[in-house]
Amino acid sequence: MHFISQELEDYIEQHSEKEPVLLEALNKETYQKILLPRMLSGHFQGRVLSMLSKLIRPLHILEIGTFTGYSALCLCEGMRDNGTLHTIDIKEELVDFQRKHFNKSQWGKQIHQYLGEAVTIIATLDLKFDLVFIDADKENYLNYFELILPKMNKGGIILSDNVLWSGKVLETLNPKDTSTRILVDYNKLLANDPRVETVLLPIRDGLTVSRVL
């Protein structure tokens, strides 16, 4: 769903920071070789993720949902020199693709990949995070939030993607549509939970920024 016209979207990209060469190549190869390439964050949202990370200057970053690694590399741009990024995905066929592009960046050795169910893997991570990006299966958003909150530093930021879900959050709910139901509940939780303060941004399919209190 386009919340604004394509012309305005193009104008926004043209007047935002340019896409780095490495990410431009990753973007292109994703569209050439990978199914559902629109899952990739892309130029504008990638620059938003980069800017937020640069403002936060995180030491440890957690990403739930790697896809082809584009958003991970954007988040690394603001990471401290001695920082780490931990990224989880369930698709084994993407691991080598991700690693190839990670190793082309300056952060290759600082990016740690995990393959499997995020709800299981998160519990094993003995770290405190300054920045988390949730962009995986929507049915588990509530579970991810409760799992990561105790692992967040005070003042840390949780970013949640696809929270507008192509506008379905405004439509009459289909009882069989679990993803939309969970996202509606998730958005309500973030808006009212006293443990965080939240702003929902109409960027692409909706990006929520929640600060841990």
Side-chain angles (χ1 to χ4, degrees), residues 19 22-31 40 42-43 70:
E19 188 177 35
L22 174 63
L23 291 176
E24 188 178 6
L26 172 53
N27 195 335
K28 183 177 180 180
E29 189 172 351
T30 298
Y31 272 83
L40 180 139
H43 175 190
Y70 189 99

Side-chain angles (χ1 to χ4, degrees), residues 161-172:
D161 202 15
N162 303 116
V163 291
L164 295 179
W165 208 224
S166 298
K168 290 181 183 179
V169 292
L170 289 177
E171 298 173 1
T172 301

Side-chain angles (χ1 to χ4, degrees), residues 138-139 162-174 176-187:
K138 311 313 163 194
E139 291 87 347
N162 303 116
V163 291
L164 295 179
W165 208 224
S166 298
K168 290 181 183 179
V169 292
L170 289 177
E171 298 173 1
T172 301
L173 186 63
N174 180 337
K176 297 180 180 179
D177 187 352
T178 305
S179 295
T180 301
R181 176 176 57 80
I182 293 294
L183 283 172
V184 168
D185 291 343
Y186 183 69
N187 290 339

Side-chain angles (χ1 to χ4, degrees), residues 33-52:
K33 299 180 179 179
I34 305 298
L35 291 173
L36 303 174
R38 283 187 59 80
M39 289 175 60
L40 180 139
S41 292
H43 175 190
F44 174 59
Q45 186 177 28
R47 291 305 87 206
V48 172
L49 296 177
S50 170
M51 181 66 76
L52 289 171

Side-chain angles (χ1 to χ4, degrees), residues 53 98 181 195:
S53 185
Q98 298 159 5
R181 176 176 57 80
R195 296 172 293 178

Side-chain angles (χ1 to χ4, degrees), residues 56 64 129-134 144-146 148-150 152 155-161 186 190 195-199 207-212:
I56 297 162
I64 306 171
F129 296 100
D130 305 297
L131 177 59
V132 174
F133 182 40
I134 305 175
Y144 295 148
F145 179 76
E146 294 298 342
I148 64 177
L149 203 57
M152 296 293 298
I157 298 295
I158 301 170
L159 305 174
S160 309
D161 202 15
Y186 183 69
L190 294 187
R195 296 172 293 178
V196 294
E197 56 182 355
T198 293
V199 61
L207 179 70
T208 298
V209 181
S210 302
R211 178 175 174 268
V212 178

